[in-house]
Structure formats: C-alpha cells, structure tokens
Amino acid sequence: MILASSSPRRLQLLKEIGITPEVISVGIDETPLAGEKGAELVKRLACAKAKACYEYLQNQQQELNATPLARQCILAADTSVWRGDDLLGKPHDADEACHMLKLLSGTTHHVSTGVCLLQLDEKTALARKTAFVETSTVRFYPLSDAQIDRYIATGEPFDKAGGYGIQGLGRLLVQSIEGDYFAIVGLPIARVMRELEALSL
C-alpha cells in the first residue's frame, strides 16, 4: 500500500492493523471552493491527493524506467472540522487556536474524513477507484479561558484541524462523540479495510 499522506496518525493506525505502507506525500491546493461544505471538501481533496500521487508514480516510472509497483493501492485522506458554515483548519498561531476553541466550547461540531482508494494493476495503471466520507459528531464541554490557555500552551492544537486532537490531551475537552472515533483521529480504519477488500474482489 502507498499512503499519500504525511499524517503520523494515519500511518500509526495502519501500522496497528499490520499494514506498513510506503509514504508518498504530495502537495495540492487545499483551498476550499466557494460555498463548499466540510464533507464535500474532504472528499474532493482526498481524490486530488490520490490522483497527484498516481501521477507522481507514473512519471517516476517513465523517467527512471522503474519496475511497476504490481497491484499496489494508493490511499489518500483528508479531515475537516466544521460547524455550520464554518470550516476550521489548522490554526496558524495561538490567537487563531483560541478563537477556534472558544467557537467549539460547549457546542456540537462535526468532523468529516474523506478517503480515496486507487487500485493499480500490474503496469501501475489505474484499475479501480472508490471514495467515501465518514462524518462524526463531537460535543465539547464548556471551556473556561484558563482551560483554553493551558491547552494551547501544550502546543498540541497547531497541527490539528479544529485546533485539537482527540487522541491526545484534546480528549479532555470532549463531552461526547457520535460516530466513528477513528474518523475523528483521521482515518476510519474499519471501513477502509472493508473498502479495500471490495476493491480486491
């Protein structure tokens, strides 16, 4: 398997079920389109990452006259935190993290993870494709300014969509969840495995 993502959390989830993928991180424009909803965004970006990875492999094979990666599968994913029309990306600084956490405090929000799987044939050509989105609902406890400041001081919010990580200290902010916990972490691993099995039939 090829993981088209630099996310250490996605890599760890795959390793925990016995898959150690080759990691090929590709850069794409992740700017939301006008009026684009969270679930729409992550599916589009996951597919764009998978396509970019596929094109990279094709170019690499042609330039280096490399041996094709027989029957590999490319997995790409993207996660978005959203509330109403607000899309919450990764905060760039403490002020932005504080704004996000205050917005989420005492309220319910959604976390959508889009996944795209590309099954390649023996010639590293595209054989089959599937894409899906898993959305979970998260409710935060009401947070005081002091609690928000302490959490931001840990540094955890800055590489996390929505400014928190449920698998880390951010779990202390969460009152309840509805849906797939692992989709919130960044990869709905049980569904991924079922979709992989379907692709291999």
Side-chain angles (χ1 to χ4, degrees):
M1 174 181 287
I2 296 166
L3 176 61
S5 171
S6 60
S7 166
R9 294 167 291 279
R10 294 185 182 118
L11 178 60
Q12 183 61 32
L13 287 173
L14 289 169
K15 285 184 173 181
E16 287 173 357
I17 60 168
I19 298 175
T20 302
E22 177 183 358
V23 176
I24 300 177
S25 181
V26 290
I28 62 166
D29 183 359
E30 299 189 15
T31 306
L33 302 177
E36 193 169 34
K37 305 297 184 183
E40 298 168 343
L41 172 67
V42 294
K43 187 174 183 179
R44 178 176 64 82
L45 293 183
C47 290
K49 290 177 183 178
K51 180 182 178 184
C53 183
Y54 168 65
E55 291 173 348
Y56 168 81
L57 290 172
Q58 290 286 75
N59 291 336
Q60 184 184 58
Q61 182 184 334
Q62 292 172 2
E63 290 174 6
L64 302 180
N65 195 25
T67 302
L69 298 169
R71 294 194 60 77
Q72 284 277 13
C73 184
I74 297 171
L75 186 160
D78 194 79
T79 300
S80 174
V81 175
W82 53 281
R83 180 172 176 265
D85 292 330
D86 293 318
L87 289 173
L88 306 181
K90 298 175 182 178
H92 296 98
D93 54 35
D95 287 342
E96 192 172 3
C98 182
H99 172 74
M100 289 183 183
L101 292 169
K102 284 185 175 181
L103 184 67
L104 300 180
S105 172
T107 68
T108 296
H109 62 276
H110 306 283
V111 182
S112 294
T113 292
V115 178
C116 183
L117 298 168
L118 299 183
Q119 179 72 55
L120 308 181
D121 67 13
E122 289 79 0
K123 297 180 180 179
T124 321
L126 179 58
R128 302 177 73 183
K129 169 185 173 180
T130 188
F132 64 90
V133 178
E134 283 287 337
T135 298
S136 301
T137 301
V138 181
R139 183 168 185 82
F140 267 22
Y141 284 106
L143 306 175
S144 68
D145 289 347
Q147 288 172 320
I148 290 174
D149 290 343
R150 282 198 299 270
Y151 182 57
I152 293 173
T154 69
E156 188 173 272
F158 299 113
D159 69 336
K160 311 288 192 305
Y164 76 97
I166 196 170
Q167 73 282 6
L169 293 173
R171 72 188 69 184
L172 301 177
L173 315 179
V174 175
Q175 184 174 6
S176 64
I177 70 169
E178 181 179 345
D180 187 339
Y181 166 81
F182 296 102
I184 302 170
V185 175
L187 192 65
I189 195 70
R191 182 165 178 188
V192 165
M193 291 308 297
R194 283 157 178 78
E195 297 289 348
L196 281 171
E197 291 170 358
L199 275 180
S200 299
L201 295 177

